[in-house]
């Protein structure tokens, strides 16, 4: 069965620093989603990637999907305390999946002021 | 911005009792989902619902679970006879089209004692 591995598991950065979170799949990704979860709260949608080589940006966050569609990265530029939280990657379970997503374990990000 | 709303935010119940978790998806959305997250573990898919019927369910979603859309706005998850291992955060999600990302609610924390 498909697994999503996220690295690192946790990350502490100084405010203003850049950081990258990775998500690697054991199988080809048909849809890759990045979410942010604050402690005890719901998942906030960040970005969706579907095509090999695709890259999307929103404010200071950039997500990429590699050409082989097995790895994605999330890059935050000039981190701020508001970026702190748990970042989850999720993927469609199959080509015809209609919202049945599998998730990674998450990367816990702390930003020191 | 429209949100997925879940009630209650926290529910405590005794083992063997029935519990109903309630969700109001975003109004123009057509696809509805329940996910759960056991403390410290990954977010897991339970069930998807479209056109008034279940479209997909996971192995977790056994005969003790049921879903219903009783009217044009609510979407419920019922657990008939709760077990200790049902303790988790339950997330409702919805989306407008098949190729859209999921929008999650803030979750209901279910504690079974």
């Amino acid at each position: 069965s498909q697994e999503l591995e996220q690295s690192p598991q946790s990350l502490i950065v100084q405010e203003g620093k850049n950081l990258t979170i990775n998500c690697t799949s054991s199988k080809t990704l048909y849809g890759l989603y990045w979410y942010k979860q604050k402690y005890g709260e719901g998942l906030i949608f960040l970005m969706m990637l579907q095509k090999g080589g695709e890259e999307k940006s929103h404010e200071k966050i950039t997500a990429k999907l590699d050409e082989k569609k097995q790895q994605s990265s999330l890059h935050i530029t000039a981190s701020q305390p508001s970026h702190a939280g748990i970042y989850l990657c999720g993927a469609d379970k199959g080509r015809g999946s209609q919202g049945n997503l599998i998730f990674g374990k998450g990367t816990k990000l702390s930003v020191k002021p | 911005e429209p949100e997925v709303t879940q009630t209650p935010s926290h529910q405590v119940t005794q083992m063997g009792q029935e519990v109903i978790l309630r969700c109001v998806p975003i109004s123009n959305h057509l696809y509805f989902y329940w996910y759960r997250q056991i403390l410290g573990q990954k977010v897991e898919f339970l069930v998807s619902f479209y056109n008034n019927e279940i479209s997909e369910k996971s192995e977790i979603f056994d005969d003790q679970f049921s879903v219903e859309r009783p009217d044009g706005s609510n979407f419920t998850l019922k657990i008939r006879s709760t077990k200790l291992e049902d303790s988790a955060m339950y997330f409702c999600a919805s989306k407008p089209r098949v190729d859209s990302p999921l929008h999650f609610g803030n979750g209901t924390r279910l504690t079974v004692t």
Side-chain angles (χ1 to χ4, degrees):
Chain A
S1 62
Q2 188 173 13
E3 294 274 337
L4 291 180
E5 292 291 329
Q6 284 187 240
S7 61
Q9 287 186 340
S10 65
L11 195 51
I12 302 172
V13 299
Q14 199 71 39
E15 183 176 357
K17 295 294 186 186
N18 303 338
L19 63 107
T20 300
I21 298 168
N22 293 300
C23 176
T24 302
S25 172
S26 54
K27 297 184 180 180
T28 300
L29 294 162
Y30 293 104
L32 189 286
Y33 308 84
W34 283 99
Y35 286 87
K36 180 184 174 185
Q37 184 178 26
K38 289 191 174 179
Y39 308 107
E41 296 184 13
L43 283 66
I44 300 165
F45 170 71
L46 297 174
M47 266 169 277
M48 175 174 75
L49 303 165
Q50 293 180 302
K51 299 175 185 174
E54 189 174 7
E55 179 175 323
K56 287 186 178 177
S57 293
H58 179 68
E59 297 180 345
K60 294 184 178 180
I61 301 177
T62 300
K64 299 179 187 179
L65 182 61
D66 74 337
E67 289 289 345
K68 291 184 178 180
K69 293 173 63 175
Q70 284 195 268
Q71 188 164 23
S72 178
S73 61
L74 187 83
H75 184 78
I76 299 177
T77 304
S79 58
Q80 300 167 358
S82 60
H83 288 127
I86 300 170
Y87 289 82
L88 299 173
C89 64
D92 287 318
K93 199 167 181 188
R95 191 189 289 272
S97 170
Q98 293 187 14
N100 179 347
L101 303 184
I102 59 166
F103 283 91
K105 284 187 175 179
T107 295
K108 182 179 171 183
L109 172 64
S110 302
V111 180
K112 285 186 172 179
Chain B
E1 189 174 326
E3 292 180 342
V4 175
T5 307
Q6 289 187 243
T7 54
S9 56
H10 192 188
Q11 172 107 35
V12 181
T13 190
Q14 287 193 323
M15 197 167 52
Q17 295 296 305
E18 176 183 285
V19 67
I20 297 176
L21 309 183
R22 302 181 191 279
C23 170
V24 179
I26 295 172
S27 64
N28 64 338
H29 286 193
L30 301 177
Y31 297 83
F32 312 110
Y33 304 83
W34 286 100
Y35 280 76
R36 80 171 186 189
Q37 186 177 32
I38 295 171
L39 189 64
Q41 298 188 22
K42 295 180 182 181
V43 177
E44 302 174 286
F45 168 79
L46 292 178
V47 66
S48 58
F49 191 87
Y50 170 71
N51 203 24
N52 281 320
E53 59 182 27
I54 291 173
S55 41
E56 197 172 354
K57 59 183 180 179
S58 71
E59 291 176 354
I60 304 166
F61 194 88
D62 62 20
D63 292 345
Q64 292 301 311
F65 290 87
S66 62
V67 289
E68 195 176 39
R69 186 154 162 84
D71 52 43
S73 57
N74 291 286
F75 180 51
T76 61
L77 173 70
K78 178 161 62 175
I79 309 174
R80 278 185 248 290
S81 177
T82 50
K83 305 171 192 166
L84 293 175
E85 54 265 36
D86 293 328
S87 295
M89 182 77 100
Y90 288 81
F91 294 108
C92 174
S94 67
K95 63 180 183 177
R97 298 176 306 276
V98 68
D99 59 347
S100 304
L102 297 180
H103 294 263
F104 284 84
N106 274 338
T108 293
R109 180 167 297 284
L110 177 65
T111 302
V112 182
T113 61

